[in-house]
C-alpha cells in the first residue's frame, strides 16, 4: 500500500468523522512530501494520522459544541399580569410548569413589556424600537396591512443572519400584506419578509375575524371554491351576528364583539367563506404546541429561534375541553392553566431533545391583565382574592406599572444560576441582547431602543439591566410612563383611554404625575410638586427620548 492510497482511505474516514477538511489536507500533504520513509515509518504514519484525526475530531466536536450559539425560545403570553402565576405570588391557582422554569432560571421582579396593549409590544419586541415612534402601531384591526415593512431588521432577521433557523408560531397581530391582507392570495409582506423562515399564525387576535391559520404566505386549508371575505361592514341583511343571534351564543359578549359568529362566539368584524380553513378556538394551543414541537425536532441540529406566541389568556377565553374548569377562577384562570401546559410541553421537548443546556428560554407577556375585555366569562365574578396585577396599580390599556410590569423569566440550564433578579429588563431588549448572545451586531440604524442587557438576562451578579424605560399604552400619541430607578413619571397626552379609572383621572390630574416606586409601588401619591427637580429632569429625559428618535447610543 503506498502512502497515496493510504491518504485516499483516510480522507473518507475523516469526512465521516466530520473533522475540518484543511486539517487532513495539511496532514496528508506534509506526510506525502517525504517519499523516503522507512518501513517502520510507513506502518506508524497511518496509525499516527488516525490517532491525530480522532483526537482532533473530538476536540473540534467539543469546540463546535461550545461555539454553537444557543437556541432562543421566546414564549409570550397574552394579557398575563404580574400576579397571575403562582411563582409570582398567586395562590388561587397553580402554574407548576412556569414555576419550574422560574425555579431553574432567573425570575425578574422588574421585567416589562414596552406597551400595555398587544400590537405595540409585539412591534417593539420584534424591531427593538418603541412603537410610539411609528404611526399606526396601535391595536391592529382584522384587515390591517403589515405594520413592520419588509426587510426591517428584527430579532428574527438578526438571528437568521447569525445562522439561526427562525419561526413564529401563534398570534401575530402585526398585520399582513401591503395595503390589506389578500386572504385568498399571497399574504405578503408578513413574518417571512422580516426574518422568519416559517410561520403558522393566527392573523390578529381570536376575538377578531377570521378564525383561520396563516401558514407562511397563505391561509391554511383554504378551498378556492369557498373564498374568504373579511370586512368591517355587514355583508348582507341576513348575516347572523352577535346582536341578531345573541341567544345562540355559547359565550355572550359584554362590549363590542357582536359581529360575525363563529364557533358560537361573536367577534369583532365580519367574514364569510373559508369554511374548510376555520379552526375551533378550543384547539389553538394544541395546534401551536404540536407545530412547535415538530419544528424544534426538525431543527434540533442547528441554532434556532422560536417565537411561541400564545393566545392565552386573551378573550374569548375558550380553552380546550380538558382544561375547562381546571381552576376556580373560571375561563380566565383555565386559560392560565392552559398556558402553563403549553410551557410544560415546550420545555419537556427541549429536555427530550437534549437541548435545554443549549437553549435560552424567555417567558414574558405582551401587556398587563384585564378582567372584562368584552365577553361575559365570569373573570370578575370568580376573581376572589386573586390579584392579576400583583401589588401594582392598573393593567392592560394604561401606563401604571400593572400595564407593563409583567412576568419575565429566563432559563438556560447550566448557564443561568437560579435566582430572583431586580434588574430592569424589557421585551424590547431581546433584539440587542440576543444579537450579543449570537455573537452578531445590531445594525446602527436599527433596534433604536433595544439595550443589550444580556448579563442581566443570564443572571450575572450585580447586573442592573437598563437604567430607564419608557412605557406606553396604545399606538402613537397615547400616554407614557418613564421609569428611572425608583422614579416613575406619567405623561398623559391622550384622554382617549378604555380604562375608566384613568379616564376619570385624566380629567382630574394635570398632564404629569410623579411617583416614588420605592415608597409607593402602587402609584397612589403624586409627588410632582414636592419633587420638582426630579420631575423636571424626567420630563426632559422623556421629551428627549421621544424627539430624538432613538434612545440607545
Ligand atoms: C380592544 C377589544 C379587546 C381586545 C383589545 C386588543 C373591544 C370592546 N375591545 O379593542 O377585547 O381585543 O382590543 O387586545 O373591542 S390586545 O391584547 O390584542 O391588545
Ligand atoms: Ca395582549
Amino acid at each position: 500500500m503506498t502512502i497515496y492510497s493510504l491518504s485516499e482511505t483516510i480522507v473518507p474516514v475523516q469526512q465521516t468523522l466530520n473533522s475540518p477538511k484543511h486539517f487532513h489536507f495539511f496532514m496528508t500533504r506534509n506526510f506525502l512530501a517525504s517519499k523516503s520513509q522507512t518501513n517502520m515509518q510507513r506502518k506508524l504514519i497511518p496509525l499516527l494520522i488516525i490517532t491525530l484525526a480522532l483526537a482532533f475530531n473530538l476536540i473540534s466536536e467539543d469546540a463546535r459544541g461550545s461555539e454553537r450559539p444557543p437556541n432562543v425560545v421566546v414564549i409570550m403570553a397574552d394579557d398575563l399580569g404580574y400576579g397571575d402565576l403562582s411563582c409570582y405570588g398567586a395562590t388561587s391557582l397553580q402554574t407548576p410548569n412556569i414555576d419550574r422554569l422560574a425555579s431553574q432560571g432567573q425570575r425578574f421582579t422588574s421585567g416589562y413589556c414596552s406597551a400595555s396593549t398587544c400590537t405595540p409590544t409585539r412591534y417593539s419586541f420584534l424591531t427593538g424600537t418603541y412603537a410610539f415612534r411609528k404611526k399606526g402601531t396601535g391595536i391592529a384591526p382584522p384587515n390591517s396591512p403589515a405594520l413592520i415593512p419588509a426587510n426591517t431588521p428584527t430579532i428574527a432577521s438578526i438571528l437568521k443572519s447569525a445562522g439561526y433557523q427562525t419561526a413564529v408560531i401563534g398570534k401575530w397581530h402585526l398585520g399582513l400584506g401591503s395595503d390589506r391582507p389578500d386572504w385568498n392570495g399571497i399574504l405578503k409582506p408578513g413574518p417571512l419578509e422580516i426574518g422568519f423562515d416559517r410561520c403558522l399564525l393566527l392573523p390578529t387576535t381570536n376575538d377578531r375575524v377570521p378564525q383561520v391559520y396563516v401558514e407562511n404566505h397563505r391561509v391554511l386549508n383554504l378551498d378556492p371554491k369557498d373564498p374568504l371575505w373579511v370586512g368591517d361592514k355587514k355583508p348582507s341583511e341576513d348575516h347572523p351576528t352577535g346582536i341578531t343571534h345573541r341567544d345562540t351564543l355559547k359565550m355572550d359578549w359584554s362590549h363590542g364583539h357582536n359581529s360575525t359568529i363563529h364557533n358560537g362566539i361573536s367577534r369583532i368584524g365580519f367574514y364569510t367563506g373559508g369554511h374548510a380553513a376555520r379552526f375551533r378556538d378550543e384547539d389553538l394551543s394544541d395546534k401551536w404546541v404540536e407545530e412547535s414541537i415538530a419544528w424544534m425536532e426538525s431543527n434540533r441540529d442547528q441554532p434556532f429561534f422560536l417565537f411561541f406566541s400564545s393566545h392565552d389568556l386573551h378573550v374569548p377565553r375558550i380553552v380546550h375541553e380538558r382544561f375547562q374548569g381546571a381552576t376556580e377562577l373560571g375561563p380566565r384562570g383555565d386559560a392560565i392553566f392552559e398556558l402553563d401546559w403549553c410551557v410544560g410541553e415546550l420545555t419537556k421537548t427541549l429536555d427530550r431533545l437534549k437541548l435545554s443546556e443549549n437553549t435560552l428560554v424567555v417567558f414574558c407577556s405582551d401587556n398587563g391583565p384585564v378582567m372584562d375585555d368584552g365577553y361575559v366569562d365570569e373573570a370578575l365574578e370568580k376573581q376572589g382574592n386573586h390579584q392579576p396585577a400583583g401589588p401594582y396599580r392598573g393593567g392592560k390599556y394604561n401606563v401604571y406599572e400593572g400595564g407593563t410590569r409583567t412576568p419575565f423569566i429566563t432559563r438556560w440550564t447550566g448557564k443561568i444560576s437560579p435566582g430572583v433578579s431586580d434588574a430592569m429588563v424589557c421585551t424590547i431588549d431581546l433584539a440587542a441582547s440576543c444579537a450579543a448572545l449570537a455573537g452578531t451586531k445590531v445594525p446602527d440604524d436599527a433596534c433604536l431602543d433595544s439595550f443589550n442587557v444580556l448579563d442581566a438576562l443570564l443572571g450575572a451578579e450585580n447586573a442592573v439591566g437598563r437604567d430607564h424605560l419608557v412605557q406606553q399604552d396604545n399606538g402613537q400619541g397615547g400616554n407614557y410612563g418613564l421609569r428611572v430607578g425608583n422614579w416613575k413619571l406619567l405623561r398623559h397626552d391622550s384622554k382617549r383611554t378604555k380604562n375608566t379609572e384613568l379616564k376619570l383621572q385624566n380629567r382630574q390630574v394635570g398632564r404629569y404625575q410623579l411617583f416614588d416606586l420605592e415608597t409607593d409601588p402602587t402609584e397612589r401619591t403624586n409627588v410632582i410638586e414636592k419633587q420638582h427637580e426630579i420631575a423636571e429632569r424626567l420630563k426632559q429625559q422623556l421629551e428627549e427620548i421621544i424627539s430624538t428618535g432613538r434612545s440607545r447610543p
Side-chain angles (χ1 to χ4, degrees):
M1 195 200 260
T2 68
I3 197 121
Y4 289 99
S5 60
L6 172 73
S7 76
E8 280 158 24
T9 54
I10 290 217
V11 171
V13 171
Q14 285 176 329
Q15 276 168 348
T16 27
L17 290 174
N18 201 21
S19 60
K21 280 185 188 144
H22 358 313
F23 172 73
H24 62 246
F25 283 141
F26 171 80
M27 291 298 293
T28 45
R29 271 179 59 203
N30 278 289
F31 282 103
L32 292 175
S34 150
K35 283 225 168 189
S36 57
Q37 290 136 332
T38 63
N39 270 349
M40 180 67 120
Q41 276 175 322
R42 284 202 187 115
K43 278 184 191 146
L44 281 178
I45 286 166
L47 256 178
L48 188 64
I49 291 178
I50 289 171
T51 316
L52 281 173
L54 283 171
F56 189 83
N57 187 66
L58 287 179
I59 293 163
S60 63
E61 273 292 318
D62 200 47
R64 265 200 300 280
S66 58
E67 267 166 24
R68 170 182 161 165
N71 311 310
V72 177
V73 175
V74 174
I75 305 172
M76 188 176 273
D78 200 341
D79 298 1
L80 181 77
Y82 190 89
D84 273 328
L85 304 172
S86 39
C87 57
Y88 275 89
T91 50
S92 312
L93 86 172
Q94 293 301 311
T95 48
N97 293 302
I98 304 174
D99 291 7
R100 190 171 317 112
L101 196 73
S103 71
Q104 294 168 341
Q106 288 285 311
R107 183 174 67 78
F108 289 85
T109 61
S110 280
Y112 289 83
C113 44
S114 35
S116 60
T117 57
C118 162
T119 303
T121 281
R122 285 155 201 268
Y123 176 89
S124 303
F125 156 56
L126 291 177
T127 63
T129 298
Y130 286 132
F132 60 73
R133 303 204 187 284
K134 167 120 171 145
K135 214 169 163 241
T137 50
I139 299 170
N143 271 331
S144 168
L147 299 179
I148 306 176
N151 304 317
T152 303
T154 63
I155 181 172
S157 69
I158 290 168
L159 289 175
K160 188 176 159 78
S161 69
Y164 281 61
Q165 283 295 308
T166 55
V168 48
I169 296 177
K171 168 171 164 175
W172 182 236
H173 212 183
L174 286 165
L176 294 165
S178 24
D179 297 323
R180 54 183 281 148
D182 177 5
W183 296 107
N184 300 290
I186 302 290
L187 291 157
K188 192 175 165 181
L192 270 49
E193 283 64 46
I194 54 168
F196 287 101
D197 294 307
R198 166 158 175 76
C199 68
L200 182 80
L201 310 172
L202 162 70
T204 53
T205 55
N206 208 17
D207 58 346
R208 285 168 176 72
V209 295
Q211 278 53 61
V212 296
Y213 296 116
V214 169
E215 186 180 44
N216 299 331
H217 284 137
R218 286 190 178 275
V219 169
L220 184 68
N221 298 329
L222 186 69
D223 175 359
K225 292 197 283 299
D226 180 27
L228 176 62
W229 172 88
V230 177
D232 51 15
K233 298 231 159 55
K234 199 166 157 164
S236 61
E237 254 324 292
D238 60 352
H239 182 81
T241 68
I243 298 173
T244 61
H245 289 65
R246 196 165 184 172
D247 55 345
T248 67
L249 301 176
K250 73 174 170 194
M251 183 181 271
D252 199 6
W253 50 272
S254 57
H255 50 275
H257 305 100
N258 52 23
S259 303
T260 292
I261 300 170
H262 168 68
N263 193 24
I265 300 151
S266 51
R267 323 268 169 166
I268 300 172
F270 298 92
Y271 73 124
T272 58
H275 288 89
R278 299 187 187 192
F279 57 69
R280 278 187 349 135
D281 307 63
E282 290 84 345
D283 299 326
L284 273 183
S285 287
D286 280 356
K287 174 78 173 166
W288 291 339
V289 163
E290 188 187 305
E291 283 287 327
S292 299
I293 291 176
W295 188 81
M296 287 194 285
E297 273 169 359
S298 58
N299 288 285
R300 62 192 295 179
D301 293 328
Q302 61 215 305
F304 62 72
F305 165 54
L306 170 65
F307 173 25
F308 182 87
S309 180
S310 174
H311 191 263
D312 287 319
L313 38 159
H314 198 283
V315 296
R317 298 168 182 134
I318 307 280
V319 296
H320 192 269
E321 283 83 352
R322 70 186 184 282
F323 299 121
Q324 292 175 9
T327 69
E328 308 272 285
L329 297 175
R332 187 176 182 279
D334 298 349
I336 299 175
F337 197 79
E338 184 173 80
L339 169 72
D340 185 70
W341 172 81
C342 296
V343 172
E345 293 305 296
L346 298 176
T347 50
K348 256 191 258 162
T349 303
L350 291 173
D351 287 345
R352 177 169 57 79
L353 299 176
K354 306 216 176 342
L355 290 176
S356 295
E357 294 188 353
N358 198 21
T359 304
L360 171 65
V361 179
V362 180
F363 176 86
C364 54
S365 177
D366 72 337
N367 52 251
V370 56
M371 302 312 273
D372 177 352
D373 206 16
Y375 289 96
V376 183
D377 62 9
E378 302 179 295
L380 276 166
E381 294 80 348
K382 294 199 165 170
Q383 182 176 354
N385 296 325
H386 183 64
Q387 297 297 322
Y392 298 112
R393 183 176 186 178
K396 186 171 180 175
Y397 306 119
N398 62 60
V399 287
Y400 288 118
E401 290 292 286
T404 51
R405 200 193 288 211
T406 35
F408 202 111
I409 296 164
T410 56
R411 188 200 72 170
W412 179 1
T413 307
K415 285 284 196 306
I416 297 182
S417 314
V420 177
S421 172
D422 293 334
M424 180 154 61
V425 296
C426 178
T427 47
I428 200 170
D429 298 322
L430 291 172
S433 306
C434 288
L437 183 73
T440 188
K441 279 208 154 41
V442 173
D444 186 49
D445 57 353
C447 305
L448 304 174
D449 304 291
S450 186
F451 284 85
N452 174 4
V453 293
L454 189 59
D455 56 348
L457 297 178
L458 300 187
E461 238 175 274
N462 304 325
V464 291
R466 355 170 101 239
D467 63 6
H468 73 279
L469 175 70
V470 179
Q471 300 138 278
Q472 65 166 107
D473 51 9
N474 185 34
Q476 215 183 19
N479 301 299
Y480 299 94
L482 170 65
R483 181 175 165 192
V484 182
N486 288 325
W487 296 106
K488 169 85 178 280
L489 180 82
L490 261 67
R491 173 171 140 177
H492 305 290
D493 280 19
S494 167
K495 297 199 190 305
R496 288 179 293 116
T497 169
K498 291 181 196 298
N499 182 280
T500 326
E501 189 194 14
L502 198 65
K503 213 180 269 177
L504 279 176
Q505 200 202 237
N506 281 359
R507 283 193 209 120
Q508 290 155 11
V509 299
R511 189 173 179 216
Y512 291 100
Q513 286 176 289
L514 182 72
F515 300 100
D516 178 354
L517 295 178
E518 174 144 35
T519 56
D520 179 27
T522 56
E523 297 165 280
R524 295 283 163 190
T525 313
N526 181 9
V527 293
I528 194 119
E529 303 294 339
K530 272 199 229 143
Q531 298 290 353
H532 183 70
E533 259 175 50
I534 289 166
E536 287 308 308
R537 181 159 56 79
L538 264 66
K539 280 185 200 175
Q540 202 183 333
Q541 187 175 353
L542 177 59
E543 186 46 45
E544 269 168 27
I545 292 171
I546 296 171
S547 59
T548 53
R550 65 188 294 157
S551 59
R552 77 165 172 92

